[in-house]
Amino acid sequence: MNSTLRSEVKSFELTFHKTNREMVIHSYLPHIASQAKMRKQENKTIKVFTVDYENMYNINDIWKPVTPDHPATFATLAMDVHQKDVILKDVDRCLQRRKYYRKVGKAWKRGYMLYGPPGTGKSSFIAAMASYLNFDVYDLELMELRQNSDLRKLLLATANKSILVVKDIDCTIWTPACWSSTSRRQGSTPRRPAASWRHWGSSRRGGKWW
């Protein structure tokens, strides 16, 4: 932290009567901490992170952020009203059950598979979900990775309360269609992904998973 920023850091001193010690420690301070986290989340600017392959060995700089300019929200998303309502209720239920997931020892996460040709609204859906949750987005291309250790490093470097988008997940199972499609897009012979990534599953072309 430079001297300018250091001079702007402020602090407060809290004093209270010792008879209120239990209330302050177990009620007041946790409430202040939760409110501070809530305010920070509300004022956060959503960012989209892409992999910086030149810094693959530096876990602190492995993801490169940009500020997105996508206006999509669930209010403007062209989607069946009933289906939209089902998804939003499902997301809200997952958000409310974070403590339950921790209690039973399961990872607090939710996944959706999006598939279809370009222009069918996959990216708009992701942008709307990020806007609704106020979560950052991590954009991951599995085809660019060569080994499982790189994938683990990328996942460890993602932040909590974020959306992970895995593109072309069907190409984790190598097929002639994937070879042809990727060759045309990259203009060269694509690299074969690690076989052990097949547990990610498959989808139609253009699938995304978060």
Side-chain angles (χ1 to χ4, degrees):
M1 185 182 297
N2 60 43
S3 58
T4 302
L5 291 177
R6 188 160 48 240
S7 64
E8 295 177 355
V9 174
K10 298 179 180 180
S11 61
F12 297 91
E13 180 178 342
L14 176 65
T15 58
F16 53 89
H17 196 278
K18 63 181 180 180
T19 57
N20 297 324
R21 176 185 175 87
E22 292 299 317
M23 181 185 68
V24 170
I25 293 177
H26 299 293
S27 179
Y28 179 71
L29 291 180
H31 172 72
I32 294 299
S34 65
Q35 288 296 311
K37 288 181 180 179
M38 187 182 302
R39 294 291 179 88
K40 183 178 180 181
Q41 184 71 12
E42 290 174 352
N43 297 329
K44 186 184 75 173
T45 300
I46 297 175
K47 294 187 179 298
V48 174
F49 292 84
T50 57
V51 180
D52 186 353
Y53 294 99
E54 295 182 357
N55 287 308
M56 281 295 293
Y57 297 101
N58 186 344
I59 195 169
N60 294 320
D61 298 321
I62 201 169
W63 290 101
K64 182 170 53 179
V66 295
T67 302
D69 185 22
H70 201 304
T73 65
F74 277 110
T76 61
L77 192 64
M79 186 177 185
D80 179 78
V81 176
H82 173 70
Q83 187 65 42
K84 187 187 301 185
D85 184 60
V86 169
I87 291 174
L88 290 177
K89 287 182 178 178
D90 181 64
V91 171
D92 290 338
R93 182 171 59 249
C94 182
L95 290 174
Q96 295 166 4
R97 302 182 73 187
R98 185 178 185 183
K99 291 183 179 179
Y100 170 77
Y101 277 76
R102 182 181 301 175
K103 180 180 179 180
V104 299
K106 291 186 176 181
W108 182 60
K109 61 182 179 180
R110 196 64 173 164
Y112 296 92
M113 182 169 285
L114 312 178
Y115 60 91
T120 53
K122 298 184 297 296
S123 296
S124 294
F125 178 88
I126 295 169
M129 186 65 74
S131 176
Y132 182 75
L133 297 172
N134 201 22
F135 285 4
D136 290 331
V137 178
Y138 289 83
D139 193 0
L140 177 60
E141 293 267 9
L142 285 182
M143 296 296 294
E144 298 296 328
L145 303 181
R146 294 297 301 272
Q147 51 194 3
N148 288 340
S149 60
D150 290 339
L151 177 59
R152 286 194 295 269
K153 189 182 301 181
L154 286 168
L155 295 180
L156 288 172
T158 59
N160 292 328
K161 293 189 175 181
S162 61
I163 297 174
L164 175 64
V165 178
V166 183
K167 294 183 177 178
D168 294 332
I169 197 171
D170 50 338
C171 283
T172 55
I173 300 178
W174 201 248
T175 64
C178 290
W179 182 282
S180 175
S181 174
T182 311
S183 297
R184 289 195 302 270
R185 186 168 65 246
Q186 296 181 346
S188 60
T189 302
R191 297 177 298 206
R192 184 183 296 271
S196 57
W197 288 350
R198 294 181 180 179
H199 70 277
W200 284 99
S202 62
S203 70
R204 299 179 189 176
R205 293 298 305 150
K208 295 182 181 180
W209 178 271
W210 72 268

